[in-house]
Amino acid sequence: MRADRPLARHGMKFPRPKRKIVTEAAQSLTFTRRAMVVGGLQVGIGALLAGRMAWISVVQHEKYSMLAESNRVNLTLIPPRRGWIIDRNGRPLANNRTDFRVDLIPQRMTDADGTVRHLAELLSLPPDEVDRIRDELDKSAGFRPVQVADKLTYDQYAAVSVRLPDLPGVAPSQGFSRYYPAGASVGHLLGYVGSASAKDYEERRDPLLITPGFKVGKDGLEKSFDQRLTGKPGAKRVEVTARGKIVQELTTRSDTPGNTIQLTIDAGLQDYAGRRLATQSGSVVVIDCHNGDVLAMASMPSFDPNSFSDGISHLEWEMLSKDDHVPLRNKTLQGLYPPGSTVKPMVALALLEGGFSPEDTVNCAGALRVGNTLFHCHSRRGHGGVNMKRAIAQSCDIYFYVMAQRLGMDRIAAMARRVGMGQKFPLPFPSQSYGTVPDPDWKLKKYGKEWQIYDTVNATIGQGYMLINPLQMAVMASRLATGRELMPNFILGERHPDAQPIPGVSDAHLATIRDAMNAVVNGGGTGGAARSSIPGVMIAGKTGTAQVRRITMAERAGGVRGNAGLPFKLRDHALFQGFAPFDNPRYAVACIIEHGGHLNRNEDAPMIASDTLSYLFDPKKAMEKLETLEKGWGGPPAERQARQMAAFRLAKAIEKGEVVPQPASNAADNGADNAAEPTRPAPPPPAPEDTGDVPPPPGSNAAAP
């Protein structure tokens, strides 16, 4: 107690602290607790790690196996072979042939200019091909492969392959390329294939589209049937080192070829029709009158689809683009022409349906005044008194001027549509032009103007607003021949409804029209040039001339009297439509020659149509005649185009100053023989190698006649 007094004296009191006694048992308990916490944490972390390892090794085994495999193995898609396009007899119109090729993968390249220069030296590429490659590299968007060359020899292929370590982005391969045996004759019919565009890839995001060697349909039937023709790709697994060097090939899965498309086209007839158009710009169409099958649809001049599929050069594209015969346009489906006098049988059929007699007579004095305009007949002296048959045979315009005014345009237009003019056919082609059948309602809607008498007069001879394409003209010929509403068909074996009779048309009226069309060719009419050379086969038809413009009085005063005195683009179109045999129609034909002007009998529409039909009855005789004629034309289309290309290349070289033109010899001045060596035409393309595919199973007021 005494000890506490000093603190109490000052008023402060402090408790005495209790001394904590730590025992061995307490220490053991504390350690155990801490060990349990740490151990729990360790177990938890271990469980997480074990779970993660189990997740990676079990659940995501496939994913990481593929990633690991991709470091060791490259998987390369093998482009599928494109399905064949064959004709009605099983002959190939488009097939595939084996070839060696070299492509560029832009995103893998480090020195594009150096690589292109190196390849140009290795493969001896011409300058225009080098320009094409550089241009395509600029447009490739970094991912689309660019074709350097195909159809290489094995030595060229090997020369590139051994230099791959020095050429990053270069992809040599052995595969298949599209081949068109008939060349330009099927250019507009089949179209062509080419590398997928950046737009195609953005829309589909299919890695196949950026696989070297893979092509898609770009035009014609190749484009329309692209999905059916495209097969399933194969794949090749190759073991590589970390630097990408190939160690060994592991496994390969073969591609599955696309489906075969069989057309109604006759390959021999198609090629013949294309060649028979000679040097002219025009189209020939042949239709089977039994079922509407299109046997030939040639548009010339054309392009060689092999050039487009291989990657056309800038120089060849420029040549085709500047050609005034427009080889890049499908004249059969996209060309529209005034039908001229080929519509007169149709107009006559409308007259018969309207109650007029075929013996009704009109006096043709050579001209007819309608309002304040004088409309002429092609015969300035006139034909005198003509009935329907003679009017068609002699193509008398005055007869149709007079009779059409009596009938009216509405009934003529209705008949025109029934025979196929202006009709939209369900065809497997990406683009078509449908023409025009004018009538009062059409003009009011189109131009906001009333129909006039002179519109009827113009339309009744196939001028004015009336337009047609060659396929529609062939359909018109087939319907006049059969009296049935035949529809053009391009796919062999497709089921179609049976063609029904043309409404309101009697057999007697059709017989009258056919008899008149027979007189056109075989009865002293305007189509004598179309007379068949095949014994026992008679062709019936109708000629036509469609004016592009009227020759002015000033031109006449300057000596221009006809097409021979006009530039090519100002000459009349020449037309013919008909069928054979006359007494039992089997085939219908239509031919339009742009700006032909009826200047060359052998290259005029009636004789071209006649010879094309003759091939169906006697192919050997028709080919003998064609080969004889081609000697005067400079050979078949491939040879003529090769010479044209050589001349164009020389002209461009002279224009750029790369070649100095040599002066022509002038013996009269110096007597020296200093004539320049003649330019040699480029050789024709080499014969194709054997294919690696297994063949599939079989506005004017006057018109001439």
Side-chain angles (χ1 to χ4, degrees), residues 42-182:
Q42 291 177 338
V43 170
I45 293 172
L48 288 175
L49 291 174
R52 180 61 177 167
M53 290 175 63
W55 174 265
I56 292 173
S57 62
V58 178
V59 179
Q60 293 190 310
H61 171 76
E62 184 176 357
K63 172 185 175 182
Y64 288 99
S65 294
M66 291 179 64
L67 289 174
E69 184 77 358
S70 66
N71 291 329
R72 183 181 69 90
V73 177
N74 279 350
L75 181 67
T76 303
L77 290 177
I78 300 175
R81 284 164 289 176
R82 200 164 175 83
W84 284 28
I85 301 177
I86 60 177
D87 82 334
R88 64 189 301 110
N89 302 310
R91 294 176 59 184
L93 295 167
N95 56 15
N96 308 306
R97 61 181 180 183
T98 56
D99 74 327
F100 295 106
R101 58 181 296 116
V102 174
D103 296 278
L104 292 174
I105 311 299
Q107 62 186 3
R108 300 179 186 172
M109 299 176 69
T110 56
D111 180 11
D113 289 338
T115 300
V116 172
R117 280 198 306 271
H118 199 162
L119 290 175
E121 294 174 2
L122 282 176
L123 304 177
S124 301
L125 299 177
D128 52 312
E129 277 295 295
V130 175
D131 292 340
R132 175 192 64 80
I133 293 167
R134 286 176 172 157
D135 184 59
E136 290 191 13
L137 282 173
D138 293 338
K139 299 177 180 178
S140 66
F143 53 81
R144 186 176 56 137
V146 173
Q147 177 175 302
V148 175
D150 65 353
K151 303 180 183 65
L152 301 176
T153 64
Y154 180 78
D155 290 341
Q156 290 174 314
Y157 174 77
V160 174
S161 298
V162 298
R163 292 171 172 83
L164 287 183
D166 302 323
L167 297 172
V170 176
S173 62
Q174 178 181 358
F176 297 90
S177 63
R178 200 62 160 167
Y179 179 65
Y180 304 89

Side-chain angles (χ1 to χ4, degrees), residues 172-368:
S173 62
Q174 178 181 358
F176 297 90
S177 63
R178 200 62 160 167
Y179 179 65
Y180 304 89
S185 296
V186 297
H188 291 299
L189 172 68
L190 301 184
Y192 59 93
V193 297
S195 299
S197 65
K199 182 179 179 182
D200 294 332
Y201 181 74
E202 290 171 0
E203 290 176 352
R204 296 166 56 180
R205 292 293 175 179
D206 186 347
L208 184 60
L209 296 179
I210 56 175
T211 302
F214 179 71
K215 302 291 179 68
V216 298
K218 292 288 187 177
D219 193 21
L221 296 179
E222 289 277 23
K223 181 176 182 179
S224 299
F225 294 115
D226 187 59
Q227 291 186 350
R228 290 173 60 179
L229 292 169
T230 300
K232 295 181 179 179
K236 180 171 64 176
R237 296 172 68 246
V238 179
E239 185 177 2
V240 295
T241 65
R243 295 186 177 182
K245 183 179 179 180
I246 296 176
V247 176
Q248 63 176 329
E249 184 174 313
L250 299 177
T251 58
T252 299
R253 185 184 73 237
S254 299
D255 64 298
T256 302
N259 296 320
T260 296
I261 303 294
Q262 188 166 21
L263 305 181
T264 60
I265 296 293
D266 183 311
L269 180 65
Q270 176 72 23
D271 186 53
Y272 184 92
R275 292 169 61 181
R276 187 58 186 86
L277 281 165
T279 63
Q280 299 297 318
S281 173
S283 172
V284 176
V285 181
V286 180
I287 291 180
D288 189 331
C289 290
H290 286 179
N291 50 23
D293 284 355
V294 178
L295 303 179
M297 191 184 80
S299 170
M300 298 293 284
S302 181
F303 56 86
D304 186 347
N306 293 301
S307 295
F308 276 77
S309 299
D310 298 341
I312 191 169
S313 67
H314 285 282
L315 199 63
E316 186 174 357
W317 173 262
E318 184 180 0
M319 181 191 74
L320 294 172
S321 301
K322 291 183 176 180
D323 193 329
D324 62 358
H325 283 43
V326 201
L328 296 175
R329 184 179 66 200
N330 184 345
K331 299 172 182 65
T332 307
L333 297 178
Q334 297 171 354
L336 292 176
Y337 311 90
S341 295
T342 60
V343 301
K344 288 176 179 175
M346 176 274 296
V347 176
L349 193 59
L351 290 171
L352 293 173
E353 183 194 16
F356 293 89
S357 169
E359 299 305 323
D360 289 345
T361 302
V362 172
N363 182 56
C364 172
L368 178 70

Side-chain angles (χ1 to χ4, degrees), residues 445-466:
K445 183 178 179 180
K446 180 76 174 179
Y447 297 105
K449 297 180 180 179
E450 297 291 335
W451 188 266
Q452 304 297 329
I453 293 296
Y454 59 76
D455 291 323
T456 300
V457 170
N458 266 333
T460 197
I461 59 167
Q463 295 278 177
Y465 300 115
M466 190 170 284

